[in-house]
Amino acid sequence: MLYSLMNKDVEVSRLDIGDDGVITGLSSVSSPEHMPVGTMPQGKADVIQLRNWWHNRCIPVTRDGAREFLERAGLSNTSSLLTRSYGLSLSDQYWIRPVDSSLGWGSVNFFENPFTEDVGNLLFGRPISGEIDLASPDNTLTVSSGRDGPLSTGDAA
């Protein structure tokens, strides 16, 4: 599927992302100055570096509770989790949207909008009831933060 890599509301590039959440191609770069750091060696977009950058945004499958969470959510890997949640994070303003979507940064970002604690709760072995809501910055936490629990909406401020 074709996605726009966005930096806030600036379209940075167009990416082909497979159903498994892995970047399979780079169709175009519309704003090279906004490309993620390290993805433009020698001033030219590098799909391998972009794929590595995307992979490094994902929570590692070796994280405690990750395999159980993926099974419960019906996801094949953490890259597909990242794709399903627009790749949003609290560490930067990058995200993806389907090219035919009119979604804007103001309606999806975690800095201004509430988010769920479902992902974090499940990763920490806490039960949730009902459907899993994937709108969570916990989808992109890649290192141990020394926290005793998931992020909460109050942590975004």
Side-chain angles (χ1 to χ4, degrees):
M1 184 169 177
L2 193 59
Y3 288 88
S4 294
L5 173 64
M6 307 292 292
N7 185 311
K8 292 188 176 182
D9 282 320
V10 175
E11 183 180 67
V12 177
S13 64
R14 294 218 168 164
L15 309 172
D16 293 304
I17 301 179
D19 292 338
D20 60 358
V22 175
I23 294 174
T24 58
L26 175 64
S27 300
S28 63
V29 175
S30 50
S31 184
E33 66 275 14
H34 288 101
M35 286 289 287
V37 173
T39 63
M40 298 260 310
Q42 290 88 39
K44 184 171 168 43
D46 185 318
V47 71
I48 293 170
Q49 294 303 320
L50 194 57
R51 189 178 299 133
N52 289 339
W53 170 81
W54 183 251
H55 177 76
N56 289 333
R57 289 177 81 75
C58 301
I59 60 172
V61 73
T62 56
R63 179 177 174 171
D64 286 345
R67 291 183 199 281
E68 295 83 1
F69 167 76
L70 290 171
E71 185 176 311
R72 168 108 192 259
L75 299 169
S76 59
N77 57 41
T78 56
S79 293
S80 60
L81 168 63
L82 191 59
T83 303
R84 294 257 314 265
S85 60
Y86 303 114
L88 288 161
S89 173
L90 281 172
S91 63
D92 60 34
Q93 295 85 35
Y94 288 106
W95 63 293
I96 60 168
R97 71 176 183 199
V99 292
D100 59 353
S101 171
S102 61
L103 279 175
W105 173 250
S107 64
V108 298
N109 78 80
F110 295 136
F111 298 101
E112 302 171 309
N113 296 291
F115 49 83
T116 178
E117 296 182 4
D118 288 0
V119 174
N121 282 332
L122 287 170
L123 288 171
F124 282 97
R126 298 181 185 132
I128 67 160
S129 59
E131 296 265 333
I132 300 170
D133 185 345
L134 299 178
S136 171
D138 291 321
N139 298 334
T140 56
L141 295 178
T142 59
V143 296
S144 173
S145 63
R147 300 172 53 88
D148 10 64
L151 289 172
S152 67
T153 306
D155 292 334

